[in-house]
Amino acid sequence: MIALRGLTKEFPGGVRAIDALDLEIGDGEFFALLGPSGCGKTTLLRTIAGLETPTSGRIEIGGVDVTGSPPGRRDVAMVFQDYALFPHMDVTANIAYPLRIKKVPRAERVAKAAETASRLSLSELLDRRPAQLSGGQQQRVALARAVACRPKAFLFDEPLSNLDARLRLEARTFLKRLQRELGVTTVFVTHDQSEALALADRIAVMSAGRISQLGTPSEVFRRPATTFVASFIGSTPMNLLPGVAEDGVLRVGEAELPLPDGVPDGEILYGLRPEYAELTTREPGEKGAFRGKVAVVENLGTAHLVTLECTGHLLQVVVPEGAEPPPGAAAWAVPRPGRALLYRDDALVGDA
């Protein structure tokens, strides 16, 4: 288990990259740190690794306080965004390097490097140098180097970001399977929410050095705790529309929607994912539909993203392939019952 207790990292000039953070990552868990650039996720990973010294707080790995320990004594393996392979070494030497630092005998470390390379389909590449490898092959060598020394934890700093779209999908599946086989605690930093949703057992969405929400991928996707998380999570951002609650009814533009009990009158942000609405070109005859004109139609492959120009706001809806109306057409978006979320003062207050 990795435990962070009141961890703070402040850089010169008063910049607080990590702000009094408390977090526990379970033994064998695949844990993702997700957030935009500058939110503190990479600094947090580097602090766990010992590459940054915390300003205050404590780091425990396997129940041992390692706050003051150098990186080499923390028994963690880090895979960097650029893989950080030694260009003058072949694949065998790169994989075996951590074992060399631990003074493992040469014959043993070469054997372990070959065994690890075999598991990662690198056996035919052992004599090549990094410049002779593709991006996907370099990524696997970096993973093999991390696996070979059997660490207590893996720390991944956006390891898939340098791969093209097809290789990223393949590497994602491979990485998930490998982590399951090894059962090693893994902390994975990414700004790509689709990677976090696909890979992680739990996700921490970070903003300005703090955790905005912590939960399973399903919890974070279905019930974002704040409008920041709502707008950040999802391949298409959540629609966040201003409305007014009054006498049990929420008015958003021309639409009138029933409110659950306990939601007081006042201004409300109405959150609806584009996937959770139906689009029709026939007037549905109910007040709970959003009427508008089709402004933009974007092809997503197996679906289309339709942007409606409603009274005073834009609303996006995902429709199946072949069901998209033409630009300029009148259309209505009908929310699925129980799928909308209500926010007030940037906090989730209910469902609709």
Side-chain angles (χ1 to χ4, degrees):
M1 187 178 77
I2 298 173
L4 311 177
R5 316 288 187 192
L7 198 68
T8 296
K9 173 61 180 178
E10 194 169 302
F11 289 103
V15 178
R16 218 167 239 215
I18 308 169
D19 192 0
L21 195 143
D22 290 297
L23 178 65
E24 287 190 357
I25 300 168
D27 182 20
E29 184 174 24
F30 198 122
F31 190 90
L33 293 170
L34 175 66
S37 298
C39 71
K41 56 189 186 297
T42 294
T43 300
L44 178 56
L45 195 76
R46 289 174 59 84
T47 306
I48 294 172
L51 302 176
E52 299 283 355
T53 303
T55 306
S56 61
R58 196 165 79 251
I59 303 167
E60 297 173 7
I61 299 177
V64 178
D65 188 341
V66 298
T67 311
S69 301
R73 294 188 180 177
R74 298 194 181 196
D75 198 13
V76 298
M78 189 161 178
V79 177
F80 297 89
Q81 183 176 352
D82 61 359
Y83 311 136
L85 300 177
F86 296 105
H88 63 291
M89 295 182 182
D90 61 19
V91 168
T92 298
N94 267 287
I95 295 173
Y97 188 76
L99 301 173
R100 177 181 166 188
I101 296 300
K102 291 183 177 181
K103 303 191 185 307
V104 174
R106 176 178 170 76
E108 184 180 343
R109 67 177 185 254
V110 169
K112 283 189 176 180
E115 178 192 346
T116 307
S118 175
R119 295 187 64 183
L120 276 71
S121 303
L122 293 168
S123 296
E124 297 179 0
L125 308 175
L126 290 174
D127 296 328
R128 296 190 190 180
R129 293 189 177 183
Q132 299 171 297
L133 305 176
S134 68
Q137 290 167 338
Q138 290 186 45
Q139 187 244 11
R140 278 186 286 146
V141 173
L143 285 173
R145 182 175 58 187
V147 171
C149 60
R150 297 292 189 268
K152 289 181 180 176
F154 291 137
L155 307 177
F156 292 132
D157 186 11
E158 304 197 37
L160 311 183
S161 61
N162 289 336
L163 302 179
D164 62 42
R166 182 182 63 82
L167 276 176
R168 284 182 82 159
L169 288 175
E170 290 179 4
R172 202 167 75 183
T173 303
F174 167 77
L175 190 59
K176 181 81 168 180
R177 189 179 76 243
L178 180 67
Q179 194 271 341
R180 284 283 180 265
E181 288 176 4
L182 299 174
V184 177
T185 305
T186 300
V187 186
F188 186 92
V189 161
T190 181
H191 65 271
D192 185 332
Q193 48 80 32
S194 62
E195 278 182 8
L197 292 171
L199 289 169
D201 299 316
R202 283 192 305 153
I203 297 172
V205 183
M206 292 189 65
S207 174
R210 296 190 176 197
I211 294 176
S212 295
Q213 185 170 0
L214 177 64
T216 65
S218 179
E219 289 167 351
V220 173
F221 182 83
R222 291 180 179 275
R223 292 184 62 80
T226 67
T227 53
F228 165 75
V229 178
S231 60
F232 189 77
I233 292 288
S235 55
T236 50
M238 181 181 285
N239 296 295
L240 292 169
L241 310 176
V244 177
E246 189 176 8
D247 299 328
V249 175
L250 177 65
R251 291 177 178 83
V252 182
E254 297 178 357
E256 294 185 4
L257 305 142
L259 280 173
D261 294 337
V263 177
D265 292 351
E267 293 183 356
I268 290 279
L269 268 183
Y270 177 82
L272 180 68
R273 290 208 176 278
E275 298 87 352
Y276 294 158
E278 309 292 339
L279 195 70
T280 177
T281 53
R282 295 183 179 181
E283 188 170 356
E286 55 185 87
K287 293 182 177 180
F290 295 91
R291 178 171 64 89
K293 183 173 72 173
V294 176
V296 180
V297 178
E298 300 171 56
N299 192 334
L300 304 179
T302 57
H304 284 75
L305 180 65
V306 177
T307 301
L308 285 184
E309 233 171 32
C310 302
T311 307
H313 54 257
L314 299 176
L315 186 145
Q316 293 185 315
V317 181
V318 172
V319 301
E321 184 182 11
E324 67 279 4
W332 287 261
V334 183
R336 293 183 194 170
R339 287 296 198 176
L341 300 172
L342 306 176
Y343 294 89
R344 172 172 282 157
D345 297 329
D346 198 37
L348 181 64
V349 294
D351 305 74

